[in-house]
Every structure is written in C-alpha cells, then in structure tokens.
Amino acid sequence: MLLAIDVGNTQSVLGLFEEGRLVVSWRVSSNPALTGDELRAKTSGLLVLSGFSWADVTDAILSSVVPRLTHSWADAVKEGAGCSVLVVGPGLKTGMPIRYGNPHEVGADRIANGVAAYDAFGGPVVVVDFGTATTLDVVSVDGAYLGGVIAPGLETSAEALFSKAARLSKVDISPPAHAIGTNTRESIQAGLVLGEAERVDGLVRRIQAELGCDATVVATGGLASVLAPLCETVGHTDMDLTLKGLCLVRERNR
C-alpha cells in the first residue's frame, strides 16, 4: 500500500492508498520538533486504529513545506516500513509543465493539488486551498501550471487580529447569520469568515477575466468545509485533493 504524506505549516495529512484508491486518511498537527522515532510511533498508532500496520506500507511519497519534518518523515518511513520516501520537488516527473518564473519556488503541495484537479476536472481549473495560507493555483486548458495567489489564511488573519486588538476576544471560526453583526462576536465573524469568502470570489473572478474564460473551481484544505459553501465561485470541494495528487505523482514516477 502507498502512504502519502502532505506536511503543511499547521497540519499534516496522511493517506493510505491501495491500487490508486484512498482507503483511509488522517489529519494531525505539524510539530517541527518531532523526531523520526516520534512520527513513526504516532503513525503506528493511527495505522493500528484503522486496522493496518507499518507492514502494510510498501511505498511512500511526501510533499512538505517544513524542511525539518521532511527529514524526520523520511526517517520514520524508512524505519517503520523499510522503504524510502519519494519527496516531491524539483526534477520529479509530475506530468505538469510549470510556467512559473522560478519553478523551484512552487510548493510541492500546490503542484500536487494542480495535478489532481486537472486529472479530475480538466482545464482550466483553479484550486483554492484553505490552510495556514489561502492559495489559489491556476492550471491551463492544456494542463500547465500557470501560477496563482498566496494570501494569509483565515486562522492566520484571526490570530493577527486578536494579538493586535487588545479589546477583541477570540471567537469561533463559523459564519454568522448576517453580514451586519449585532454584537462583537458576529461582527468579527462577518469580517473574518464572510470577508475571506468574498476575497476568494473576487480573486477567482479576476483570474477568470485574465484567462478569458470560465474555469472550474475546486476547494480543499482544512477550512474548506467551512468556507467553500460561502464562496459563489467554488463549484467542488475535495478534502483529499492533495493526497490524490501525490498518489498520481507516485504512479508517474514508477
């Protein structure tokens, strides 16, 4: 079975694939201080809870934006499964041309998202990833990665607001009933949650105007289930998009 690992700044997502089909997935915190032994032990527990073990893992692929965890995960998989990890990065065959000023600057997770979205929907397609950063990635009609947008994520914006405004208390990240908040909590939620949805819609419309045509828009990331329903331009949501992209990349590098 293939173990796909996507390491983000805040959370990491793991998925176990059998013959290209996602069997089970887990979402855990990304802690740069964890060693390979600690990651191996944590993953062992997740596998056992789902009826598997390290012995079931015969292959692995990793995308990571946290360099310290890249090495720790490589050690964890080597010791746990006895196989090496294919790390998504420059020079790896993805089947997707990169039309970016410096291809080395494109995050591995963004490439995986683009690969999976184009495979599922064709092009042009826009991927909105609601994570630590909110990113929008654009794939052309012929399957090339064109570039996109990087902005602070919803929780990142919220943390900045609460740390700088002494009189504002933290609120839960959920949409308010109205745009006109009648108390401080609702007002903050309107600004953060509804504001994020409007920002994404505005950016998607600008992207489509530059493309000169409509594009399929698919959302993913930890907050996609909250924000995607509020975005008028988002037509699809796939919480496992990055993992599916990693599985496709692994198949293309056998």
Side-chain angles (χ1 to χ4, degrees):
M1 303 180 78
L2 170 68
L3 178 64
I5 308 164
D6 173 42
V7 179
N9 287 295
T10 304
Q11 294 182 335
S12 298
V13 186
L14 291 71
L16 201 59
F17 288 82
E18 185 171 24
E19 297 181 353
R21 180 178 63 89
L22 182 61
V23 178
V24 63
S25 63
W26 309 277
R27 188 176 293 271
V28 298
S29 298
S30 296
N31 182 354
L34 291 177
T35 66
D37 288 337
E38 290 171 317
L39 290 173
R40 175 165 54 89
K42 286 179 177 292
T43 306
S44 178
L46 294 173
L47 288 165
V48 169
L49 284 173
S50 299
F52 300 100
S53 71
W54 275 113
D56 295 303
V57 178
T58 58
D59 202 358
I61 184 169
L62 168 72
S63 67
S64 173
V65 297
V66 185
R68 287 182 63 182
L69 285 176
T70 302
H71 300 294
S72 296
W73 272 112
D75 291 341
V77 174
K78 183 178 181 180
E79 293 298 322
C83 64
S84 58
V85 178
L86 182 67
V87 180
V88 178
L92 193 67
K93 180 181 178 181
T94 64
M96 176 169 286
I98 309 298
R99 298 176 188 163
Y100 205 66
N102 181 356
H104 293 186
E105 292 179 352
V106 185
D109 55 335
R110 301 178 74 185
I111 297 301
N113 283 341
V115 168
Y118 186 75
D119 180 76
F121 303 103
V125 61
V126 178
V127 179
V128 184
D129 192 334
F130 294 105
T132 305
T134 295
T135 60
L136 285 78
D137 297 296
V138 186
V139 180
S140 69
V141 67
D142 59 348
Y145 180 86
L146 301 180
V149 175
I150 303 174
L154 175 57
E155 290 183 337
T156 303
S157 297
E159 289 174 6
L161 175 64
F162 299 137
S163 66
K164 295 295 184 180
R167 295 188 62 185
L168 295 182
S169 301
K170 290 186 177 182
V171 301
D172 54 308
I173 302 299
S174 59
H178 308 283
I180 302 174
T182 57
N183 54 54
T184 301
R185 179 180 62 83
E186 290 180 352
S187 298
I188 293 173
Q189 290 174 328
L192 289 173
V193 182
L194 300 184
E196 179 74 357
E198 291 298 319
R199 178 172 69 174
V200 168
D201 281 336
L203 288 169
V204 169
R205 293 186 178 108
R206 285 176 178 267
I207 288 170
Q208 291 179 334
E210 291 184 16
L211 289 173
C213 63
D214 290 337
T216 302
V217 182
V218 54
T220 191
L223 289 174
S225 60
V226 175
L227 290 166
L230 304 175
C231 298
E232 295 178 355
T233 57
V234 173
H236 306 272
T237 300
D238 189 342
M239 303 297 289
D240 300 314
L241 191 71
T242 312
L243 295 178
K244 292 175 181 177
L246 290 176
C247 182
L248 288 169
V249 171
R250 184 65 193 97
E251 290 300 318
R252 295 171 184 178
N253 283 272
R254 290 197 180 278

